[in-house]
Amino acid sequence: MTTTEVSQEPVPDVTAEAVGTVSAVRAPSRPPALSPSRANDFMQCPLLFRFRTVDRLPEPPSAAAARGTLVHSVLERLYDAPLGERTLAAANDLLPGEWDRLLEADDRYTSLFTDGVGPDGQDRAGWLAGAGSLLGTYFTLEDPNRLEPAERELLVESQLDGGPLLRGIVDRLDVAPTGDVRVVDYKTGKSPRPGYESSAVFQMRFYGLVLWRERGVLPKMLQLVYLGDGQVLRGEPTVEQLEHTEQKIRTIWSAIEEAARTGVWKPRRTKLCGWCAHQSLCPEFGGTPPEVPDGAIPLRLGITV
């Protein structure tokens, strides 16, 4: 296992609610909140943030995201097994059932397969084997039989005074007998290159900040487990770092409020535009954004305009 300590300055990162359609603006089941992935959207491109968070434009399912969701589901379920039975074979046995469950929960995933052939020309067995490879990497990094997580898929929320409600989902929370808390997040992609860790660091400090504010306990360790290349990034947060993260979040939120009130969601052209599902609507590529749906901003951002 390769371990890298990270201490770079954070760069924003906000979380996505489920993608919906423009035509139906319904009241959210939970109050609007800011998450790490949605903040990252805004910093990457304010117009992308608008499309995803305000307009809720539908996006085609991503093969990588689908595999990541599947692996996360298996790792969560694996810890239901008693100690000694959390084996790689047991994890692989969970794959077919968890994939079927995900297909039932979101039928968009079925579009990844046409006539039985999926991404990269793989059939169902090949697709599941790819997820199994990531699980195999996980077992080289941690022994789940030596862990007893305090929480899995933990929803964390904290209201900033004079700011947004913060929300995120922590993959795993470990609590040592001493009371020390470790926040663990699984990533099914590869670890960022040196100098590009800022978004990942921000995400973990975001979670650390919310837990600290809500529980009064400063996490001892923030840990990112990258199954794409077997890397582990770890950092021990300080009070000063989490306070800096809070200030960064407030700055991002102020910019989002300004965009919502002025109606100016500037597109930002970068190398990442090639992966954007909304190029046809982007002025940078000759497109015209649709009108913001009536009532979408207060409902989805909680901002009065």
Side-chain angles (χ1 to χ4, degrees), residues 6 8 38 47 59-60 66 76 81 140 160 163 172 174 180 190-191 199 203 230 235 246 252 256-257 265 295:
V6 292
Q8 287 79 6
R38 283 294 81 82
L47 185 59
E59 298 183 5
E76 181 187 7
T140 69
L160 288 186
R172 200 179 82 217
D174 300 333
D180 287 343
K190 294 182 178 180
S191 58
S199 180
Q203 177 190 353
E246 179 176 328
I252 297 166
I256 291 171
E257 289 181 315
W265 304 89

Side-chain angles (χ1 to χ4, degrees), residues 115-258:
D115 296 328
V117 178
D120 303 322
Q122 297 174 320
D123 58 11
R124 175 186 168 94
W127 167 257
L128 294 179
S133 171
L134 295 172
L135 292 172
T137 300
Y138 172 73
F139 276 82
T140 69
L141 302 174
E142 292 188 318
D143 180 357
N145 292 296
R146 300 181 64 183
L147 299 168
E148 201 59 78
E151 303 279 358
R152 287 169 280 153
E153 293 295 310
L154 174 65
L155 175 68
V156 294
E157 293 184 330
S158 182
Q159 178 67 56
L160 288 186
D161 291 339
L165 174 66
L166 306 183
R167 178 182 295 140
I169 296 179
V170 173
D171 288 342
R172 200 179 82 217
L173 197 70
D174 300 333
V175 180
T178 59
D180 287 343
V181 172
R182 177 171 63 179
V183 182
V184 180
D185 197 66
Y186 308 123
K187 299 293 185 184
T188 50
K190 294 182 178 180
S191 58
R193 290 176 295 165
Y196 291 86
E197 304 95 338
S198 55
S199 180
V201 171
F202 175 84
Q203 177 190 353
M204 296 307 289
R205 289 181 183 170
F206 182 104
Y207 295 148
L209 171 66
V210 174
L211 287 165
W212 177 44
R213 292 299 190 204
E214 288 303 297
R215 301 190 178 193
V217 176
L218 183 72
K220 176 67 174 176
M221 179 71 67
L222 305 176
Q223 180 170 304
L224 279 158
V225 180
Y226 285 91
L227 304 182
D229 56 6
Q231 301 287 312
V232 178
L233 304 184
R234 295 188 179 98
E236 296 188 22
T238 65
V239 168
E240 292 75 16
Q241 287 171 342
L242 297 190
E243 288 176 341
H244 181 85
T245 298
E246 179 176 328
Q247 186 55 51
K248 176 67 74 174
I249 291 169
R250 290 183 182 277
T251 299
I252 297 166
W253 186 247
S254 293
I256 291 171
E257 289 181 315
E258 178 69 13

Side-chain angles (χ1 to χ4, degrees), residues 74-156:
V74 169
L75 289 176
E76 181 187 7
R77 285 286 306 281
L78 180 66
Y79 281 95
D80 288 338
L83 293 173
E85 297 181 20
R86 300 168 186 170
T87 64
L88 177 57
N92 280 313
D93 286 344
L94 289 171
L95 281 170
E98 286 303 295
W99 179 237
D100 288 341
R101 188 178 66 81
L102 291 175
L103 288 175
E104 290 178 8
D106 189 344
D107 59 8
R108 292 182 308 138
Y109 289 143
T110 60
S111 66
L112 292 172
F113 290 84
T114 303
D115 296 328
V117 178
D120 303 322
Q122 297 174 320
D123 58 11
R124 175 186 168 94
W127 167 257
L128 294 179
S133 171
L134 295 172
L135 292 172
T137 300
Y138 172 73
F139 276 82
T140 69
L141 302 174
E142 292 188 318
D143 180 357
N145 292 296
R146 300 181 64 183
L147 299 168
E148 201 59 78
E151 303 279 358
R152 287 169 280 153
E153 293 295 310
L154 174 65
L155 175 68
V156 294

